[in-house]
Amino acid sequence: MPVTPAPVILGNEPGSFPHSVLAERHPAIIRQVRDAFPYGPAQHHALDELLKSCTEGVIEPLPEDAGDRDRWRAWGLDGHLGRSWFDVPWLWSESYFYRRLLDAVGCTGPGAWQGIDPFRPFKRAELDAPETDEELSALDALQDRPEQERARALLHGSLWGNRADLGFRLSAEGAEAAEPTPALVADDSETLWSLLPPSAPGTLVLVADNAGRELVPDLLLIAHLLAEGRIRRATLHVKPHPYYVSDATTADVVDALQRLVAAPGAAAQYGRVLWSAMADGRLTVRAHPFSCAPLPYADQPDDLRAEFASATLTIVKGDLNYRRLVGDRLWPPTTPFQEATPCFPGPVAALRTLKSDVITGLTAATEAALVAAEGQRWRTGGTHALIQVNASGDAQRK
């Protein structure tokens, strides 16, 4: 039985994290994008207009010739027109900001800038950074470890975004247990592995989050699961167009794969596994329009619902996807994760570092320890993470 929904998060409370994103982060993103490309007067004027609109103005319609105008109307645009960006659901407001940013820089075309990812310089800089080489070299030390240890290390790499000091340490469980406010605030990893036994390989859907050094460990995890026979097929969901600065698109998958196969040692082996799996169809990339919808997964369309229902497990990566999975609401932190995801059509796992207020599935003791040590900063600082699983799935309950 679903719990009573908590209030939807808005951005109109001064001092709140959502308010700071709308009032401070979005203007900063506009400035960064403006400086990243040699845009012309038309783009600069459009960026100025967007900056004024999202900080002082109201939500305006998409251009009449926008190819996705009807889709956004179905996603609630008409009901938000003329309202302050701060007074509509935060998830919706954030998503629409990025959609309008693409218009401002000409990415949505027509014109010379059509299809040019305004965030590509930031993604490439991270992927090409020396730190990426260091993190990939950590894979070599894993090769002689037992399969279960390698799987666990790669899962943590995916969780934390491939930070070598966290993602690949093999003694994390013991270290976490000794901390009064553990970095991993919820851990259903044993349930996750029980859904992917080598004895009965199934199908995996992984809903990606960020590109660059966060997409690479997602690909490494998929490569391991394929190579070790824990899954026979995988689908990687990415965004159909640039979104939320660093969100992964198909072009970012290509960049990451090329980075892997060009690397030395074990990283290249993983890259070749993935390249081969793409060629023979064991790994496919999907870019569904709903991946950029300003809506929770409870509102997903039927074709996407059928795909998730047929998967042995869907892994949902990152903070934004977590918000969409449980609903972008102010849940009491002790709300069970299973009760916040009653409508997901199949078994689902969330891998997420905490970068926004939304949280479910904590014990009362964990929440109390976090608040005592950090106030409410633990919710948004990215220093804590979780692995949560709803193993039943709506499809299995029917």
Side-chain angles (χ1 to χ4, degrees):
M1 187 69 140
V3 295
T4 302
V8 172
I9 294 177
L10 306 179
N12 57 5
E13 182 181 343
S16 68
F17 182 70
H19 188 277
S20 72
V21 169
L22 298 176
E24 301 168 19
R25 183 182 295 178
H26 285 180
I29 289 169
I30 291 175
R31 291 191 293 269
Q32 290 171 344
V33 167
R34 183 196 302 271
D35 294 339
F37 284 95
Y39 289 124
Q43 284 92 355
H44 283 282
H45 175 73
L47 289 170
D48 289 339
E49 290 298 308
L50 178 61
L51 177 62
K52 182 177 180 181
S53 171
C54 69
T55 55
E56 305 171 15
V58 297
I59 293 168
E60 299 173 356
L62 289 172
E64 290 289 338
D65 59 352
D68 58 350
R69 190 165 177 266
D70 288 343
R71 183 179 297 142
W72 273 93
R73 293 184 70 182
W75 289 345
L77 175 59
D78 290 352
H80 297 322
L81 292 176
R83 301 179 65 189
S84 166
W85 293 76
F86 295 85
D87 291 337
V88 303
W90 181 43
L91 176 63
W92 199 98
S93 184
E94 274 197 293
S95 298
Y96 196 59
F97 166 79
Y98 286 103
R99 175 61 186 83
R100 294 313 307 263
L101 182 62
L102 297 184
D103 272 341
V105 298
C107 179
T108 53
W113 291 92
Q114 185 176 25
I116 301 299
D117 183 349
F119 310 124
R120 182 170 172 77
F122 317 129
K123 297 174 181 179
R124 286 298 320 188
E126 183 179 277
L127 190 61
D128 295 337
E131 291 83 358
T132 304
D133 290 319
E134 298 173 12
E135 291 165 348
L136 291 178
S137 68
L139 292 167
D140 295 335
L142 290 177
Q143 295 309 97
D144 295 330
R145 298 280 188 166
E147 188 276 334
Q148 288 186 341
E149 289 188 13
R150 283 183 283 133
R152 180 181 176 278
L154 292 169
L155 179 68
H156 279 256
S158 180
L159 171 65
W160 288 104
N162 204 12
R163 288 186 284 175
D165 59 332
L166 289 170
F168 293 110
R169 66 184 182 185
L170 301 178
S171 59
E173 286 182 356
E176 299 287 357
E179 296 291 336
T181 56
L184 198 59
V185 299
D187 185 5
D188 294 339
S189 55
E190 291 304 313
T191 303
L192 185 153
W193 292 124
S194 73
L195 295 169
L196 300 173
S199 58
T203 58
L204 175 73
V205 173
L206 193 150
V207 182
D209 184 31
N210 292 330
R213 286 164 62 198
E214 294 192 36
L215 178 61
V216 166
D218 296 341
L219 292 170
L220 294 172
L221 178 61
I222 291 173
H224 177 86
L225 297 175
L226 286 169
E228 297 298 329
R230 284 185 177 267
I231 58 174
R232 65 178 184 274
R233 190 173 68 253
T235 302
L236 177 67
H237 278 252
V238 296
K239 302 300 189 297
H241 56 71
Y243 191 60
Y244 275 69
V245 182
S246 56
D247 282 26
T249 65
T250 303
D252 300 315
V253 175
V254 173
D255 286 343
L257 284 174
Q258 290 176 332
R259 184 74 164 89
L260 283 174
V261 297
Q269 297 177 31
Y270 282 110
R272 288 191 290 271
V273 167
L274 293 163
W275 204 281
S276 175
M278 293 275 285
D280 63 26
R282 287 176 296 130
L283 172 59
T284 57
V285 178
R286 186 114 144 83
H288 196 285
F290 191 77
S291 294
C292 291
L295 302 172
Y297 274 103
D299 296 332
Q300 65 191 276
D302 290 342
D303 64 326
L304 196 56
R305 179 173 293 277
E307 182 175 342
F308 290 146
S310 66
T312 304
L313 176 66
T314 296
I315 294 178
V316 174
K317 277 294 309 293
D319 194 79
L320 172 61
N321 285 325
Y322 186 88
R323 291 165 57 192
R324 298 185 68 199
L325 180 62
V326 303
D328 202 31
R329 298 174 178 271
L330 287 172
W331 296 106
T334 55
T335 303
F337 176 70
Q338 290 78 5
E339 294 184 10
T341 55
C343 297
F344 201 83
V348 61
L351 271 61
R352 173 225 185 182
T353 54
L354 277 58
K355 299 177 183 177
S356 67
D357 291 311
V358 179
I359 184 70
T360 68
L362 299 190
T363 66
T366 297
E367 181 193 6
L370 289 166
V371 172
E374 305 177 35
Q376 296 299 326
R377 292 189 303 275
W378 60 272
R379 292 175 178 260
T380 59
T383 56
H384 298 282
L386 57 79
I387 302 171
Q388 292 176 327
V389 178
N390 182 350
S392 55
D394 183 57
Q396 293 189 4
R397 285 194 292 269
K398 292 180 180 177

